[in-house]
Structures are given as structure tokens and as C-alpha cells.
Amino acid sequence: MRTVSNTPDRLVIEDRPRVLAITLWLMGLGALFAAVSGQTDGIAETLLVFILGTGVLCMAWYFFPFQRFTFDRTVGAFTRRIARVTGATVETLELDQIERAALQSQWNDGTRMDRVALLTKSGPFPLEFGFVNARRAPVVSDINSWLEQEG
């Protein structure tokens, strides 16, 4: 997740997990190809490889879309564009509903995993579908600094 543009009127942040997404898509498609083309040994192995390939593709589709977050003062809205292989969806929030950005954290086996969330008047609005072990504090700082500026 990185800040692409930061002007007084507009803040644009992108989340493009290229390496993980491409790796998972290739692994899933490879497993499906192996199951369908008869490269497995027996029906049980074919079924197992097919189910694993389908599961990996579902995980890549859900957890690793390309996203663009746009905070626009001129329109007075926050827009989240989620681009997946099956198409793009757009979610919109009014800027006056957003209080600030924050990190949501989860500890697992002594490792801290974070994700960025917007704290809104109706509750938290996560910007990521899962927790990651990557620095997200600079993005949260950019969002909060931008929100605090006068238009």
C-alpha cells in the first residue's frame, strides 16, 4: 500500500499486491491444469489437487485484489475501487463520516500483523481484506494528515 498522490484537494492511495497475487493465481491455475489434464495419479489425487487449486484461486480472488482509495475534497467523498479478475466494484463514503485512519492489529505467534482501517461514525471500515506484516503506519499518517488539513 502506497501513497500515489497527495495534494490539498485529493489523496490517492493504491494497494497492488502484485507478487502475492500473481504467485497465487499461477499456483491455482497450475493445480487446476494438472487435475484437468490427467497429470495426477488416480481419482483421489485428482480431486484433492482440483480442490486445492480452486481454494488457492478463491483466496487470490478475495484477499489480493488491486485497490485504489481516493479521498476527494472537491466532491466531498472517499471512493474505494476494488479491481478483481471478475470486474471492478466501487464503494463510496462521505468525507464527513470519516473521523480518522487507524491501524487494526492482530498478534499471531509473536508476530504483529496490521491492516489500515478508517474509523467512521458508524464504526470501523477496513481498507484491507486481511492482516499483513508490512509497514502501514506511513499510509495511516498520510491519511490523518490529509483529513486534518483545511480544504
Side-chain angles (χ1 to χ4, degrees), residues 76-145:
F78 161 76
T79 305
R80 174 188 193 180
R81 184 177 188 275
I82 305 168
R84 291 191 164 102
V85 174
T86 55
T89 57
V90 176
E91 299 173 346
T92 304
L93 283 173
E94 297 297 320
L95 281 180
D96 60 3
Q97 296 296 310
I98 301 171
E99 295 172 354
R100 65 185 178 92
L103 285 178
Q104 290 182 328
S105 299
Q106 173 181 352
W107 288 89
N108 190 6
D109 293 331
T111 303
R112 179 181 168 157
M113 309 283 275
D114 296 322
R115 72 176 174 187
V116 179
L118 297 177
L119 301 181
T120 67
K121 293 179 180 174
S122 60
F125 183 83
L127 299 184
E128 298 176 276
F129 294 96
F131 292 87
V132 294
N133 189 9
R135 288 181 35 101
R136 296 294 193 230
V139 173
V140 171
S141 176
D142 286 348
I143 294 170
N144 286 333
S145 296

Side-chain angles (χ1 to χ4, degrees), residues 4-134:
V4 176
S5 173
N6 189 351
T7 64
D9 288 335
R10 195 170 200 191
L11 173 67
V12 179
I13 298 169
E14 287 186 346
D15 183 23
R16 299 188 179 271
R18 289 181 182 96
V19 174
L20 276 173
I22 291 170
T23 301
L24 288 175
W25 279 102
L26 289 176
M27 287 174 50
L29 291 172
L32 287 182
F33 178 75
V36 172
S37 65
Q39 296 180 21
T40 53
D41 192 27
I43 189 70
E45 186 176 319
T46 301
L47 187 59
L48 177 65
V49 170
F50 183 82
I51 290 170
L52 287 174
T54 303
V56 168
L57 289 177
C58 289
M59 190 171 70
W61 181 87
Y62 183 78
F63 287 106
F64 300 103
F66 287 4
Q67 299 186 89
R68 178 176 277 236
F69 311 102
T70 306
F71 298 82
D72 195 337
R73 262 195 194 87
T74 58
V75 179
F78 161 76
T79 305
R80 174 188 193 180
R81 184 177 188 275
I82 305 168
R84 291 191 164 102
V85 174
T86 55
T89 57
V90 176
E91 299 173 346
T92 304
L93 283 173
E94 297 297 320
L95 281 180
D96 60 3
Q97 296 296 310
I98 301 171
E99 295 172 354
R100 65 185 178 92
L103 285 178
Q104 290 182 328
S105 299
Q106 173 181 352
W107 288 89
N108 190 6
D109 293 331
T111 303
R112 179 181 168 157
M113 309 283 275
D114 296 322
R115 72 176 174 187
V116 179
L118 297 177
L119 301 181
T120 67
K121 293 179 180 174
S122 60
F125 183 83
L127 299 184
E128 298 176 276
F129 294 96
F131 292 87
V132 294
N133 189 9

